[in-house]
Amino acid sequence: MHPKKFALWLFIVTVVMIFAAFTSAHIVRQADGDWLIYDLPTMLWYTSAIILLSSVFMQWAYMAAKKDKLEQVKLALAITTVLGILFLVGQVKAWGQLVDNNIYFNGNPAGSFLYVFTFVHALHLVSGVIYLIYMLISSYKYKVHAKNMLNMEMCSTWWHFLGGLWIYLFIFLLLNH
């Protein structure tokens, strides 16, 4: 395994452990009582669809790069990047919906956990968007092709992981809010 891929997988394991700790803490704290029952912001449904769609376009970019279809790589990476940014904008709008429903970061721990989950995930997603922008620029410099797939593989792995992590968090929140 390439050392950079190994480092990426170590980082992914670290992120998994962070969110495992967060979700465990959520379950333990919820069992203590005085837990605010609330509806999840409807925007989270839209952002979930956006992140799933972005994975489809990321996979298209990856497959196109393997076949040296550079125009498709550029288009698919651009769409993935835009969808990643839309996801982040949607998360901010979801926080606005929380505030509109009187659910704040401080106060009841139920709301605090939701803000922490979405904020920490958003921070990781920002790194994914930056990586996508780097890959998009690289594709315009003809540095993304079948004989140079390391960064494309790593970007694809990271992006799909972030999408999968969000779906896990969303389902967890649906079942435990």
Side-chain angles (χ1 to χ4, degrees):
M1 178 181 284
H2 193 281
K4 289 182 180 179
K5 278 188 185 178
F6 184 72
L8 174 65
W9 281 104
L10 283 178
F11 187 64
I12 287 172
V13 168
T14 302
V15 173
V16 166
M17 295 305 294
I18 289 168
F19 280 97
F22 285 164
T23 54
S24 295
H26 183 282
I27 291 167
V28 170
R29 180 57 184 90
Q30 187 176 17
D32 281 348
D34 85 337
W35 196 257
L36 176 67
I37 304 298
Y38 61 90
D39 291 327
L40 289 177
T42 56
M43 183 55 69
L44 295 182
W45 288 94
Y46 297 114
T47 58
S48 297
I50 289 168
I51 202 80
L52 287 173
L53 186 60
S54 75
S55 276
V56 171
F57 283 100
M58 183 71 236
Q59 191 62 29
W60 177 31
Y62 175 77
M63 298 305 291
K66 284 178 71 172
K67 296 176 184 174
D68 285 328
K69 296 182 178 181
L70 300 182
E71 293 306 311
Q72 289 183 18
V73 171
K74 294 173 192 176
L75 178 61
L77 283 173
I79 293 170
T80 306
T81 303
V82 168
L83 290 171
I85 293 167
L86 283 175
F87 176 88
L88 291 168
V89 169
Q91 294 298 86
V92 171
K93 289 185 181 278
W95 294 335
Q97 289 178 341
L98 287 170
V99 170
D100 291 344
N101 291 322
N102 297 317
I103 301 167
Y104 302 101
F105 177 74
N106 58 0
N108 193 287
S112 301
F113 273 104
L114 181 56
Y115 281 102
V116 168
F117 286 156
T118 56
F119 180 75
V120 175
H121 182 266
L123 285 178
H124 288 93
L125 204 96
V126 166
S127 73
V129 169
I130 291 168
Y131 204 174
L132 285 167
I133 291 168
Y134 169 78
M135 292 306 300
L136 186 58
I137 292 167
S138 295
S139 71
Y140 276 92
K141 293 180 179 179
Y142 301 102
K143 294 182 180 180
V144 179
H145 49 78
K147 294 183 181 177
N148 186 17
M149 289 293 292
L150 177 65
N151 274 317
M152 185 57 118
E153 289 173 8
M154 290 175 53
C155 185
S156 179
T157 298
W158 181 239
W159 194 256
H160 290 313
F161 166 71
L162 291 172
L165 177 61
W166 173 253
I167 297 305
Y168 161 74
L169 288 172
F170 184 60
I171 292 170
F172 177 83
L173 290 168
L174 282 173
L175 297 174
N176 294 287
H177 70 277

Short mmCIF file of all heavy atoms in Angstrom, two decimals, residues 39-47 50 84-103 114-115 118-119 122 166:
data_model
loop_
_atom_site.label_atom_id
_atom_site.label_comp_id
_atom_site.label_asym_id
_atom_site.label_seq_id
_atom_site.Cartn_x
_atom_site.Cartn_y
_atom_site.Cartn_z
N ASP A 39 -37.90 17.65 16.46
CA ASP A 39 -37.87 17.14 15.09
C ASP A 39 -36.58 17.60 14.43
O ASP A 39 -36.15 18.75 14.61
CB ASP A 39 -39.07 17.69 14.29
CG ASP A 39 -40.39 17.11 14.76
OD1 ASP A 39 -40.39 15.93 15.18
OD2 ASP A 39 -41.40 17.83 14.71
N LEU A 40 -35.98 16.70 13.68
CA LEU A 40 -34.78 17.08 12.94
C LEU A 40 -35.16 18.11 11.87
O LEU A 40 -36.26 18.05 11.31
CB LEU A 40 -34.15 15.87 12.26
CG LEU A 40 -33.47 14.86 13.18
CD1 LEU A 40 -32.97 13.67 12.35
CD2 LEU A 40 -32.32 15.49 13.94
N PRO A 41 -34.26 19.04 11.59
CA PRO A 41 -34.55 20.01 10.53
C PRO A 41 -34.79 19.30 9.19
O PRO A 41 -34.08 18.35 8.85
CB PRO A 41 -33.27 20.85 10.46
CG PRO A 41 -32.59 20.65 11.77
CD PRO A 41 -32.98 19.28 12.23
N THR A 42 -35.79 19.73 8.46
CA THR A 42 -36.07 19.12 7.16
C THR A 42 -34.90 19.27 6.20
O THR A 42 -34.72 18.44 5.30
CB THR A 42 -37.34 19.72 6.53
OG1 THR A 42 -37.17 21.14 6.43
CG2 THR A 42 -38.57 19.41 7.35
N MET A 43 -34.10 20.29 6.39
CA MET A 43 -32.95 20.51 5.52
C MET A 43 -31.98 19.32 5.55
O MET A 43 -31.29 19.05 4.58
CB MET A 43 -32.22 21.81 5.90
CG MET A 43 -31.05 22.16 5.00
SD MET A 43 -31.44 22.27 3.24
CE MET A 43 -32.45 23.73 3.21
N LEU A 44 -31.94 18.59 6.66
CA LEU A 44 -31.04 17.45 6.75
C LEU A 44 -31.40 16.35 5.76
O LEU A 44 -30.53 15.61 5.30
CB LEU A 44 -30.99 16.90 8.17
CG LEU A 44 -30.41 17.84 9.23
CD1 LEU A 44 -30.37 17.16 10.60
CD2 LEU A 44 -29.04 18.36 8.84
N TRP A 45 -32.67 16.24 5.42
CA TRP A 45 -33.08 15.29 4.38
C TRP A 45 -32.48 15.70 3.03
O TRP A 45 -31.99 14.86 2.28
CB TRP A 45 -34.60 15.21 4.28
CG TRP A 45 -35.22 14.51 5.44
CD1 TRP A 45 -35.71 15.07 6.58
CD2 TRP A 45 -35.40 13.10 5.58
NE1 TRP A 45 -36.18 14.09 7.42
CE2 TRP A 45 -36.01 12.87 6.83
CE3 TRP A 45 -35.11 12.00 4.76
CZ2 TRP A 45 -36.33 11.61 7.28
CZ3 TRP A 45 -35.43 10.73 5.22
CH2 TRP A 45 -36.04 10.54 6.46
N TYR A 46 -32.53 17.00 2.74
CA TYR A 46 -31.99 17.50 1.48
C TYR A 46 -30.47 17.35 1.43
O TYR A 46 -29.91 16.95 0.40
CB TYR A 46 -32.39 18.96 1.26
CG TYR A 46 -33.88 19.15 1.13
CD1 TYR A 46 -34.59 19.86 2.09
CD2 TYR A 46 -34.58 18.61 0.06
CE1 TYR A 46 -35.96 20.02 1.99
CE2 TYR A 46 -35.95 18.76 -0.05
CZ TYR A 46 -36.64 19.47 0.92
OH TYR A 46 -38.00 19.62 0.81
N THR A 47 -29.81 17.67 2.54
CA THR A 47 -28.35 17.54 2.52
C THR A 47 -27.93 16.08 2.39
O THR A 47 -26.90 15.78 1.77
CB THR A 47 -27.71 18.18 3.77
OG1 THR A 47 -28.24 17.59 4.95
CG2 THR A 47 -27.92 19.69 3.77
N ILE A 50 -28.13 15.32 -1.20
CA ILE A 50 -27.03 16.00 -1.89
C ILE A 50 -25.74 15.22 -1.73
O ILE A 50 -24.99 15.03 -2.70
CB ILE A 50 -26.87 17.45 -1.37
CG1 ILE A 50 -28.03 18.32 -1.85
CG2 ILE A 50 -25.53 18.06 -1.80
CD1 ILE A 50 -28.13 19.68 -1.17
N GLY A 84 -20.73 19.45 -2.87
CA GLY A 84 -20.12 19.53 -1.54
C GLY A 84 -20.36 20.88 -0.89
O GLY A 84 -20.68 20.97 0.30
N ILE A 85 -20.22 21.93 -1.67
CA ILE A 85 -20.48 23.28 -1.15
C ILE A 85 -21.96 23.44 -0.81
O ILE A 85 -22.31 24.00 0.23
CB ILE A 85 -20.00 24.34 -2.16
CG1 ILE A 85 -18.47 24.29 -2.25
CG2 ILE A 85 -20.48 25.74 -1.77
CD1 ILE A 85 -17.88 25.06 -3.41
N LEU A 86 -22.84 22.92 -1.66
CA LEU A 86 -24.28 22.97 -1.37
C LEU A 86 -24.61 22.21 -0.09
O LEU A 86 -25.48 22.64 0.69
CB LEU A 86 -25.09 22.40 -2.54
CG LEU A 86 -25.26 23.29 -3.75
CD1 LEU A 86 -25.97 22.53 -4.87
CD2 LEU A 86 -26.04 24.54 -3.39
N PHE A 87 -23.94 21.10 0.14
CA PHE A 87 -24.15 20.35 1.39
C PHE A 87 -23.82 21.24 2.58
O PHE A 87 -24.59 21.31 3.54
CB PHE A 87 -23.28 19.09 1.41
CG PHE A 87 -23.38 18.32 2.69
CD1 PHE A 87 -24.36 17.36 2.86
CD2 PHE A 87 -22.51 18.57 3.74
CE1 PHE A 87 -24.48 16.66 4.06
CE2 PHE A 87 -22.61 17.87 4.94
CZ PHE A 87 -23.59 16.92 5.09
N LEU A 88 -22.68 21.92 2.51
CA LEU A 88 -22.27 22.79 3.62
C LEU A 88 -23.25 23.93 3.83
O LEU A 88 -23.61 24.25 4.97
CB LEU A 88 -20.86 23.32 3.38
CG LEU A 88 -19.75 22.27 3.46
CD1 LEU A 88 -18.44 22.83 2.92
CD2 LEU A 88 -19.59 21.77 4.88
N VAL A 89 -23.71 24.53 2.74
CA VAL A 89 -24.71 25.61 2.84
C VAL A 89 -25.99 25.06 3.46
O VAL A 89 -26.61 25.70 4.33
CB VAL A 89 -24.98 26.24 1.46
CG1 VAL A 89 -26.19 27.15 1.48
CG2 VAL A 89 -23.74 26.99 0.96
N GLY A 90 -26.37 23.87 3.06
CA GLY A 90 -27.56 23.23 3.62
C GLY A 90 -27.44 22.96 5.11
O GLY A 90 -28.41 23.11 5.86
N GLN A 91 -26.23 22.59 5.55
CA GLN A 91 -26.03 22.36 6.98
C GLN A 91 -26.21 23.66 7.77
O GLN A 91 -26.79 23.66 8.85
CB GLN A 91 -24.65 21.75 7.24
CG GLN A 91 -24.47 20.35 6.67
CD GLN A 91 -25.40 19.33 7.27
OE1 GLN A 91 -26.53 19.16 6.82
NE2 GLN A 91 -24.94 18.64 8.27
N VAL A 92 -25.70 24.75 7.22
CA VAL A 92 -25.88 26.04 7.89
C VAL A 92 -27.37 26.39 7.95
O VAL A 92 -27.87 26.87 8.97
CB VAL A 92 -25.07 27.15 7.17
CG1 VAL A 92 -25.41 28.52 7.71
CG2 VAL A 92 -23.58 26.87 7.32
N LYS A 93 -28.09 26.13 6.86
CA LYS A 93 -29.53 26.38 6.86
C LYS A 93 -30.24 25.48 7.88
O LYS A 93 -31.21 25.90 8.51
CB LYS A 93 -30.11 26.19 5.46
CG LYS A 93 -29.70 27.29 4.49
CD LYS A 93 -30.39 27.11 3.16
CE LYS A 93 -29.98 28.18 2.19
NZ LYS A 93 -30.71 29.42 2.36
N ALA A 94 -29.75 24.27 8.05
CA ALA A 94 -30.33 23.37 9.05
C ALA A 94 -30.14 23.95 10.45
O ALA A 94 -31.03 23.86 11.30
CB ALA A 94 -29.70 21.98 8.95
N TRP A 95 -28.96 24.55 10.69
CA TRP A 95 -28.76 25.20 11.99
C TRP A 95 -29.75 26.34 12.17
O TRP A 95 -30.25 26.55 13.27
CB TRP A 95 -27.34 25.72 12.13
CG TRP A 95 -26.28 24.66 12.16
CD1 TRP A 95 -26.43 23.35 12.55
CD2 TRP A 95 -24.92 24.79 11.78
NE1 TRP A 95 -25.26 22.68 12.43
CE2 TRP A 95 -24.30 23.54 11.96
CE3 TRP A 95 -24.16 25.85 11.29
CZ2 TRP A 95 -22.95 23.33 11.68
CZ3 TRP A 95 -22.82 25.63 11.02
CH2 TRP A 95 -22.24 24.39 11.21
N GLY A 96 -30.03 27.06 11.10
CA GLY A 96 -31.04 28.12 11.16
C GLY A 96 -32.41 27.57 11.51
O GLY A 96 -33.15 28.17 12.29
N GLN A 97 -32.75 26.40 10.94
CA GLN A 97 -34.02 25.77 11.28
C GLN A 97 -34.06 25.36 12.75
O GLN A 97 -35.10 25.44 13.40
CB GLN A 97 -34.27 24.56 10.38
CG GLN A 97 -34.58 24.92 8.94
CD GLN A 97 -34.77 23.69 8.06
OE1 GLN A 97 -34.34 22.58 8.39
NE2 GLN A 97 -35.42 23.90 6.92
N LEU A 98 -32.92 24.91 13.26
CA LEU A 98 -32.86 24.56 14.68
C LEU A 98 -33.13 25.79 15.55
O LEU A 98 -33.92 25.73 16.51
CB LEU A 98 -31.49 23.97 15.03
CG LEU A 98 -31.21 22.56 14.54
CD1 LEU A 98 -29.75 22.22 14.74
CD2 LEU A 98 -32.11 21.57 15.26
N VAL A 99 -32.49 26.89 15.22
CA VAL A 99 -32.68 28.13 15.98
C VAL A 99 -34.14 28.57 15.89
O VAL A 99 -34.73 28.98 16.89
CB VAL A 99 -31.72 29.23 15.48
CG1 VAL A 99 -32.08 30.59 16.07
CG2 VAL A 99 -30.28 28.86 15.81
N ASP A 100 -34.72 28.47 14.69
CA ASP A 100 -36.13 28.83 14.52
C ASP A 100 -37.04 27.99 15.43
O ASP A 100 -38.12 28.44 15.81
CB ASP A 100 -36.57 28.66 13.06
CG ASP A 100 -35.93 29.67 12.13
OD1 ASP A 100 -35.38 30.69 12.62
OD2 ASP A 100 -35.96 29.44 10.90
N ASN A 101 -36.61 26.77 15.75
CA ASN A 101 -37.39 25.88 16.63
C ASN A 101 -36.91 25.93 18.07
O ASN A 101 -37.21 25.03 18.85
CB ASN A 101 -37.32 24.45 16.10
CG ASN A 101 -38.08 24.30 14.80
OD1 ASN A 101 -39.13 24.89 14.61
ND2 ASN A 101 -37.53 23.52 13.88
N ASN A 102 -36.15 26.99 18.41
CA ASN A 102 -35.66 27.19 19.78
C ASN A 102 -34.77 26.06 20.28
O ASN A 102 -34.80 25.70 21.46
CB ASN A 102 -36.81 27.43 20.75
CG ASN A 102 -37.57 28.69 20.41
OD1 ASN A 102 -36.97 29.72 20.10
ND2 ASN A 102 -38.89 28.61 20.45
N ILE A 103 -33.98 25.49 19.39
CA ILE A 103 -33.00 24.47 19.76
C ILE A 103 -31.63 25.11 19.55
O ILE A 103 -31.24 25.41 18.42
CB ILE A 103 -33.15 23.19 18.92
CG1 ILE A 103 -34.56 22.62 19.11
CG2 ILE A 103 -32.08 22.18 19.29
CD1 ILE A 103 -34.94 21.57 18.12
N LEU A 114 -26.47 17.58 18.46
CA LEU A 114 -26.76 17.76 17.04
C LEU A 114 -25.83 18.79 16.42
O LEU A 114 -25.29 18.58 15.32
CB LEU A 114 -28.22 18.16 16.83
CG LEU A 114 -28.66 18.36 15.38
CD1 LEU A 114 -28.39 17.12 14.53
CD2 LEU A 114 -30.13 18.73 15.32
N TYR A 115 -25.63 19.89 17.10
CA TYR A 115 -24.71 20.91 16.59
C TYR A 115 -23.28 20.36 16.48
O TYR A 115 -22.58 20.62 15.51
CB TYR A 115 -24.72 22.15 17.49
CG TYR A 115 -25.89 23.06 17.27
CD1 TYR A 115 -26.98 23.06 18.14
CD2 TYR A 115 -25.91 23.95 16.19
CE1 TYR A 115 -28.05 23.91 17.95
CE2 TYR A 115 -26.99 24.80 15.99
CZ TYR A 115 -28.05 24.77 16.87
OH TYR A 115 -29.12 25.62 16.67
N THR A 118 -23.00 17.81 13.50
CA THR A 118 -23.03 18.45 12.18
C THR A 118 -21.83 19.36 11.97
O THR A 118 -21.29 19.42 10.85
CB THR A 118 -24.34 19.22 11.97
OG1 THR A 118 -24.51 20.17 13.02
CG2 THR A 118 -25.54 18.27 11.93
N PHE A 119 -21.38 20.05 13.01
CA PHE A 119 -20.24 20.96 12.86
C PHE A 119 -18.95 20.19 12.61
O PHE A 119 -18.18 20.53 11.70
CB PHE A 119 -20.09 21.86 14.08
CG PHE A 119 -18.93 22.81 13.97
CD1 PHE A 119 -19.00 23.92 13.14
CD2 PHE A 119 -17.75 22.58 14.67
CE1 PHE A 119 -17.94 24.80 13.02
CE2 PHE A 119 -16.68 23.45 14.56
CZ PHE A 119 -16.77 24.56 13.73
N ALA A 122 -19.00 18.79 9.23
CA ALA A 122 -18.81 19.87 8.25
C ALA A 122 -17.34 20.26 8.15
O ALA A 122 -16.84 20.53 7.04
CB ALA A 122 -19.67 21.08 8.61
N TRP A 166 -21.80 10.71 6.93
CA TRP A 166 -23.00 11.54 7.09
C TRP A 166 -24.26 10.69 7.14
O TRP A 166 -25.15 10.92 7.97
CB TRP A 166 -23.14 12.61 6.01
CG TRP A 166 -24.47 13.28 6.20
CD1 TRP A 166 -25.58 13.15 5.43
CD2 TRP A 166 -24.84 14.11 7.31
NE1 TRP A 166 -26.63 13.85 6.00
CE2 TRP A 166 -26.19 14.44 7.15
CE3 TRP A 166 -24.16 14.58 8.42
CZ2 TRP A 166 -26.88 15.24 8.06
CZ3 TRP A 166 -24.84 15.38 9.33
CH2 TRP A 166 -26.18 15.70 9.14
#
